[in-house]
Amino acid sequence: MQYAAPSPALYWTLVIALVSLTACRPAESPTLAEPTDWHNEVIYHVMPRSFYDSNGDRHGDLNGFVEKLDYLQELGVTTILFTPLYASEFYHNYFPTDYEEIDPEFGTKDDYLNFVRAVHKKGMKFLMDMETQYAPSGHPWFDESFNNPDSPNSDFIYYTDSLNADPAQLFMPLGTPLHTFRRWPDGEHHIAHLDLNHPRVRQWMHNYYLYWVDPNGDGNFDDGVDGFRIDHIMDDLDYKGIITNMYVDFWQPIFEACRAINPNLFIVGEQSNWEDFGDEMISASGADASFNFQLRFALTGADGIHDMYSNANQSGITIDPDRVHSIVLESQEKFTGTGYAVNFVENHDTYRWASMVEENEGMVRLGAPLTLLMPGIPSIFYAQELGVPGKILHHIKFDADYLPIRDAFPWTTDPDTPGTAAFHKDTGEWWDVSYHNTEAIHSLALSAQQEDPNSVWHLYRSLIALRKAEPAFRQGEYVPVALENKNLLAFKRVHATGEFMVLINLSDEPQPTTEFDFAGWSSVLGSIDDTALTPFNFVVLHHD
């Protein structure tokens, strides 16, 4: 017997229209804004170089992003998180050669300020990615002080000797000869630790972070960030025992100073130990959120690893519902009233979800409910909403090995279409394996998916709209539904405004639903059958 919601097409037409109207409403002055409950946000995580090119050089840029803000609103996301924007000789823009300048391939400082104002005019928020622990060769702090103890920049680099010949280095034990890191497309760099113990460096850092909060110092934050992502935040920098107690002594004063200007500033720390929930980091440093790596490990069936430099990339997953329930409940216990967990299934350091599930079409689609319907703040990595694949080529051999997971957003089926940010086109094996060079591009491209009502893109858009329309999916309690059948993941989201149940078939075979009594439940997404749920399918039910 089938149970279905009355007029589902009309329901979704009204829900998406309501959410779109709300998203397009002009933002109030940031200086008067009420504190944000970040459970109401949906983050869109982007490497801007790969997003949209406005000037024909194949590099995504700030002006191009402004052109695509309407697309993000149509999708339904509310907050934009960039990888770094500062000037760097690395394509991913970590390890800057100039912290204070915008990478010229992204645009000018005026382009940046115009971008932030445009985001705010759309009623959206912007988070800036920060990695301010290192300086590479090419940065004057390193170049002018190395082997030159008389340099005024010596204060900025942590040297272990009096001749400035032995800097503390990224990843390397103290006393290691100068190590060389390759970068794409060519070139080599040394990467040294900043001396974050030095009062001069700490003062510089305070001023640097404060600048981005209110660039023109007028007390109006229309041109200021809404928050920061702190890359690889840790208490003992690289576990060397030389720059310690950073949460309290270094990060907390910076966060407090920034909030003294804008109390609504939001700070998410990428905890250095991915096997940790990050709750202790939040408590000690004063950050607001951490990334829920534990949930991603559970959803991908992977063992926990320490960080991106631990080789645990694999394809093919098995999800254990009991493990998922346990992680979600533990996360809720750790973060209720004390911080936020940011949920994700892919980011700029991991395999794409589609590759984790070996591009199984059904499992690709399940990435949407697993990202958007769990408790926490959902984060979507750009083009995840299209189900694009991407694998790391080799493990920490060369930063180009990560280009396949940071590929150009496929606006159309042709990478030569103006606007496609295929900056690495025809440069090596990372381009050879690009989805732009496969037959799959004809179904992956946004232009194709927007025309297909059953596409992954439409699914993400519908679930974002559902999340926005129903407080249960943002604020509600998570209640596991314990089942004998471990091929089914089921949970409820319970709120004063309504009770919902999500039922997911994690297998490639129909799974019986005879454990359920569907009386009193109706479907708001998908259809329910009291005999079986089809392979890799899910339904969202509402209790009448």
Side-chain angles (χ1 to χ4, degrees):
M1 181 177 180
Q2 296 280 339
Y3 298 82
S7 306
L10 177 60
Y11 174 86
W12 280 109
T13 299
L14 293 173
V15 167
I16 292 175
L18 174 62
V19 170
S20 298
L21 286 172
T22 302
C24 294
R25 188 177 299 150
E28 296 181 7
S29 168
T31 54
L32 301 177
E34 293 295 324
T36 298
D37 183 341
W38 280 79
H39 288 125
N40 296 328
E41 300 297 309
V42 178
I43 296 172
Y44 196 76
H45 186 188
V46 195
M47 193 174 90
R49 190 179 301 279
S50 296
F51 198 60
Y52 193 78
D53 165 34
S54 71
N55 60 10
D57 66 356
R58 293 191 184 277
H59 292 265
D61 49 52
L62 290 161
N63 290 335
F65 213 95
V66 171
E67 291 184 39
K68 291 301 180 180
L69 289 177
D70 286 343
Y71 164 72
L72 296 186
Q73 288 208 303
E74 183 181 12
L75 179 61
V77 299
T78 63
T79 294
I80 298 163
L81 166 60
F82 275 177
T83 51
L85 291 171
Y86 37 53
S88 171
E89 294 186 19
F90 291 86
Y91 76 88
H92 43 68
N93 289 88
Y94 290 96
F95 314 121
T97 50
D98 191 334
Y99 278 103
E100 299 183 17
E101 292 301 320
I102 300 297
D103 188 320
E105 288 177 325
F106 295 151
T108 65
K109 183 66 70 64
D110 285 342
D111 291 333
Y112 165 77
L113 296 172
N114 177 65
F115 158 76
V116 177
R117 293 187 186 103
V119 168
H120 289 153
K121 285 179 181 177
K122 292 287 188 181
M124 304 172 77
K125 298 179 177 64
F126 171 62
L127 305 179
M128 176 178 277
D129 195 353
M130 292 292 212
E131 184 188 51
T132 53
Q133 300 97 313
Y134 311 101
S137 53
H139 194 296
W141 292 342
F142 180 91
D143 291 353
E144 295 174 12
S145 67
F146 183 63
N147 286 329
N148 181 17
D150 295 328
S151 168
N153 287 326
S154 291
D155 293 343
F156 282 90
I157 304 298
Y158 193 104
Y159 289 104
T160 64
D161 68 320
S162 61
L163 299 178
N164 286 14
D166 187 17
Q169 300 177 73
L170 178 66
F171 305 144
M172 300 295 111
L174 295 177
T176 302
L178 215 55
H179 181 77
T180 298
F181 294 86
R182 293 175 62 198
R183 67 170 174 85
W184 179 88
D186 53 48
E188 298 179 335
H189 289 271
H190 313 300
I191 302 176
H193 287 245
L194 297 182
D195 188 355
L196 302 179
N197 291 329
H198 198 289
R200 180 184 174 199
V201 180
R202 291 192 175 189
Q203 186 60 57
W204 189 94
M205 287 294 172
H206 273 69
N207 295 339
Y208 178 69
Y209 277 82
L210 291 173
Y211 169 79
W212 300 107
V213 176
D214 187 7
N216 61 8
D218 66 354
N220 187 311
F221 308 124
D222 62 341
D223 56 357
V225 300
D226 297 284
F228 298 110
R229 172 192 180 272
I230 309 299
D231 186 76
H232 215 58
I233 188 171
M234 53 175 53
D235 204 37
D236 176 359
L237 187 58
D238 284 2
Y239 310 106
K240 289 185 171 68
I242 56 175
I243 303 173
T244 60
N245 205 35
M246 288 185 66
Y247 291 155
V248 172
D249 293 344
F250 181 79
W251 290 116
Q252 188 181 102
I254 289 176
F255 299 161
E256 288 177 350
C258 289
R259 291 198 183 99
I261 296 176
N262 182 358
N264 293 332
L265 206 71
F266 182 77
I267 297 165
V268 54
E270 183 212 18
Q271 62 270 40
S272 59
N273 182 358
W274 289 3
E275 295 181 276
D276 184 74
F277 278 95
D279 52 310
E280 293 181 4
M281 175 273 295
I282 290 174
S283 176
S285 71
D288 297 288
S290 61
F291 288 93
N292 202 339
F293 286 97
Q294 291 295 314
L295 181 57
R296 182 183 185 271
F297 294 147
L299 294 176
T300 57
D303 294 332
I305 59 174
H306 187 271
D307 55 28
M308 67 180 287
Y309 305 106
S310 305
N311 190 2
N313 294 305
Q314 83 279 352
S315 297
I317 68 173
T318 301
I319 301 176
D320 177 0
D322 292 337
R323 182 183 177 190
V324 172
H325 293 322
S326 176
I327 291 297
V328 172
L329 292 176
E330 186 175 359
S331 177
Q332 282 199 304
E333 182 179 350
K334 288 179 179 293
F335 292 102
T336 299
T338 59
Y340 298 88
V342 177
N343 298 338
F344 65 100
V345 295
E346 60 182 62
N347 67 21
H348 65 299
D349 290 329
T350 70
Y351 273 33
R352 291 283 193 165
W353 171 258
S355 289
M356 291 292 294
V357 301
E358 299 179 325
E359 299 182 51
N360 179 291
E361 182 179 351
M363 283 295 289
V364 169
R365 294 177 67 86
L366 293 187
L370 294 175
T371 300
L372 292 162
L373 301 183
M374 295 284 188
I377 309 171
S379 178
I380 298 168
F381 191 45
Y382 77 98
Q384 176 184 331
E385 72 272 22
L386 305 177
V388 300
K391 296 182 179 181
I392 300 166
L393 289 179
H394 312 287
H395 182 63
I396 313 299
K397 179 180 177 183
F398 184 21
D399 66 357
D401 293 333
Y402 283 74
L403 282 167
I405 62 175
R406 304 164 180 172
D407 209 344
F409 188 99
W411 298 99
T412 71
T413 59
D414 183 357
D416 291 322
T417 300
T420 303
F423 65 91
H424 61 299
K425 186 175 184 290
D426 299 326
T427 63
E429 60 177 320
W430 34 85
W431 178 255
D432 296 339
V433 300
S434 169
Y435 44 74
H436 289 278
N437 292 321
T438 69
E439 287 299 314
I441 191 62
H442 296 289
S443 59
L444 291 174
L446 177 67
S447 58
Q449 294 207 24
Q450 287 183 320
E451 295 179 358
D452 177 5
N454 297 314
S455 69
V456 178
W457 182 81
H458 277 284
L459 175 60
Y460 270 85
R461 185 169 177 245
S462 294
L463 287 182
I464 293 172
L466 174 62
R467 181 183 178 87
K468 290 183 177 181
E470 300 294 347
F473 291 108
R474 307 190 312 271
Q475 312 288 345
E477 179 185 1
Y478 179 93
V479 180
V481 177
L483 301 173
E484 292 295 326
N485 186 349
K486 300 307 177 185
N487 289 314
L488 294 174
L489 171 65
F491 57 89
K492 296 178 182 179
R493 300 301 308 275
V494 181
H495 189 266
T497 59
E499 179 179 353
F500 292 81
M501 181 165 61
V502 180
L503 177 60
I504 303 174
N505 182 353
L506 302 169
S507 78
D508 59 359
E509 296 180 353
Q511 295 299 319
T513 56
T514 52
E515 289 187 67
F516 294 90
D517 178 3
F518 290 117
W521 294 89
S522 59
S523 171
V524 295
L525 190 65
S527 61
I528 57 176
D529 189 315
D530 60 3
T531 60
L533 184 61
T534 54
F536 299 122
N537 197 6
F538 75 97
V539 292
V540 180
L541 312 173
H542 177 256
H543 195 270
D544 298 328

